Amino acid sequence: MFRKLADGAALAAIYLSAFFSVILLAVILAYVLAKGIPAVRWSFLTTVTSVLRGTVGIAGNLVNTVYMVVLTLGIAVPVGIGSAVWLNEYAGRGKAVEAIEFAMETLAAIPSVVFGLFGMVFFGTTLEFGYSLLTGALTLTLMVLPLITRNTQEALRAVPETYRTGAAGMGAGKWYMIRTILLPAAAPGIVTGIILAVGRIAGESAALLLTAGSGYLLPESGRGILRKVMESGGTLAVQMYLSMSKAEYDTVFGIAVVLLCLVFVLNFLTHVLLKRTGGRGRHK
C-alpha cells in the first residue's frame, strides 16, 4: 500500500513538473512575442542602424552571427570530433586520458567572461588579431570544444560493441570501421552536440564583447566579405545587450524574437537531421 502511494506521488510530481515547465515556456514565449513582434519589420531585418538615415536595423548583426557560427564550427567540429574519436577509440583508458577528460570538464565550467579575457589577451593582443570576428570565433572555439567532444564521446560509447567486433571479424581496418560504421551510428548524438554548440555561440555576449567588439555594419561586396573576418562585429546577443543598456526596449524584444525564431529553426533542423541520421544508422 505504501509503495503504491509513493509511486503515485512520484508520478504526480513528474506530471506537475512537466506541466509547470510547459506553462513557464509558454508564458515566456507569449510575453516576448507580444512585446517583440511589433518591432520586427522587413526594414528591421534588412537595414543597419543609422542616425542619418533614421533607420533601426539588425542586418549587420545577423550577418555577424552567421559569420561567428560558421567560423567557430569550422574550427571546433573537426577538432572536437577528432579528439573524441582518439580518446574513445585509440587512447584506451589511463591516467593521461582521465586527465584530459578532467581538463575538458573543468574547461566547460569556466565562466565565459574568463574566456573573453584570455581571448582578448592571447588572440587579440599577442597574435595581433585585434577586435575581430576571428578573435571571437577562436575564443568561442575554446568554449564549445568540451561540449562537442563530450557529446561525441558519449555517442560513440553508446554504439553497441558488436559493431566493432563484427567489423573486425570481417577484416575491416580500424579507421575504415570508425568512418563507415561508428560515426554514422553515432551521428544523432554528434548532431545534438553541434546544435547545442550553435545555441551557445548564438547566445554568447560576454566573451564576444571583449574579443569581437560591437561593429554592426554590413560587409562590402567582393573582397570585403573575406576582410570582414578581421573586422569588429557584434552578434545579435551582443547588440541585444547594448540595446538593453541604452533602454531601447523595442529593439531588445525585436532581437529576442529573432533569436527565438533561430532557436526554433535549429531545433526543427535537429529533429529532421536526427530522424534521417538515425534512420541511416539503424539501416546500416
Side-chain angles (χ1 to χ4, degrees):
M1 183 66 181
F2 178 76
R3 181 175 296 178
K4 289 184 179 180
L5 290 175
D7 291 343
L11 185 62
I14 292 172
Y15 278 109
L16 183 62
S17 299
F19 177 77
F20 177 76
S21 300
V22 172
I23 292 298
L24 182 61
L25 176 62
V27 170
I28 293 174
L29 289 176
Y31 183 79
V32 172
L33 292 175
K35 291 283 188 178
I37 285 180
V40 180
R41 303 181 181 88
W42 181 247
S43 61
F44 183 72
L45 299 174
T46 57
T47 61
V48 297
T49 300
S50 174
V51 177
L52 296 177
R53 298 179 182 178
T55 58
V56 177
I58 58 171
N61 302 110
L62 275 170
V63 172
N64 292 336
T65 303
V66 174
Y67 267 98
M68 194 64 67
V69 171
V70 172
L71 284 172
T72 304
L73 291 184
I75 302 170
V77 169
V79 176
I81 294 178
S83 300
V85 169
W86 180 79
L87 288 169
N88 202 71
E89 303 299 327
Y90 289 98
R93 301 304 301 175
K95 291 185 177 181
V97 174
E98 292 178 0
I100 293 173
E101 292 179 347
F102 177 76
M104 285 193 300
E105 292 172 0
T106 304
L107 198 65
I110 295 177
S112 59
V113 67
V114 177
F115 281 104
L117 288 171
F118 173 81
M120 179 181 65
V121 173
F122 183 71
F123 298 121
T125 303
T126 304
L127 299 183
E128 298 182 352
F129 292 153
Y131 283 97
S132 65
L133 290 171
L134 180 60
T135 302
L138 291 171
T139 303
L140 290 184
T141 297
L142 300 179
M143 294 176 59
V144 301
L145 260 179
L147 181 63
I148 296 175
T149 302
R150 294 298 288 172
N151 272 275
T152 303
Q153 273 190 283
E154 295 301 323
L156 289 172
R157 289 171 181 171
V159 177
E161 192 63 29
T162 53
Y163 284 36
R164 296 174 176 83
T165 56
M170 296 178 65
K174 184 129 187 172
W175 172 239
Y176 182 83
M177 174 193 66
I178 293 171
R179 179 169 52 87
T180 60
I181 298 176
L182 296 187
L183 288 178
I190 297 173
V191 170
T192 300
I194 294 173
I195 296 300
L196 290 173
V198 171
R200 184 166 187 182
I201 295 167
E204 183 55 46
S205 60
L208 294 180
L209 278 170
L210 298 174
T211 55
S214 58
Y216 56 87
L217 298 178
L218 288 167
E220 299 177 359
S221 59
R223 293 184 178 180
I225 296 176
L226 297 177
R227 287 199 301 267
K228 181 66 176 176
V229 175
M230 299 305 299
E231 297 176 359
S232 172
T235 61
L236 288 171
V238 170
Q239 185 58 45
M240 187 175 180
Y241 168 79
L242 295 175
S243 297
M244 189 69 187
S245 65
K246 300 175 184 176
E248 298 172 350
Y249 298 118
D250 291 340
T251 303
V252 170
F253 281 104
I255 296 174
V257 170
V258 175
L259 283 174
L260 284 176
C261 291
L262 286 176
V263 171
F264 175 79
V265 170
L266 290 174
N267 285 337
F268 176 76
L269 291 176
T270 303
H271 181 71
V272 173
L273 287 173
L274 286 177
K275 287 183 67 175
R276 292 184 178 180
T277 56
R280 288 198 295 267
R282 287 190 297 269
H283 179 71
K284 290 182 179 182

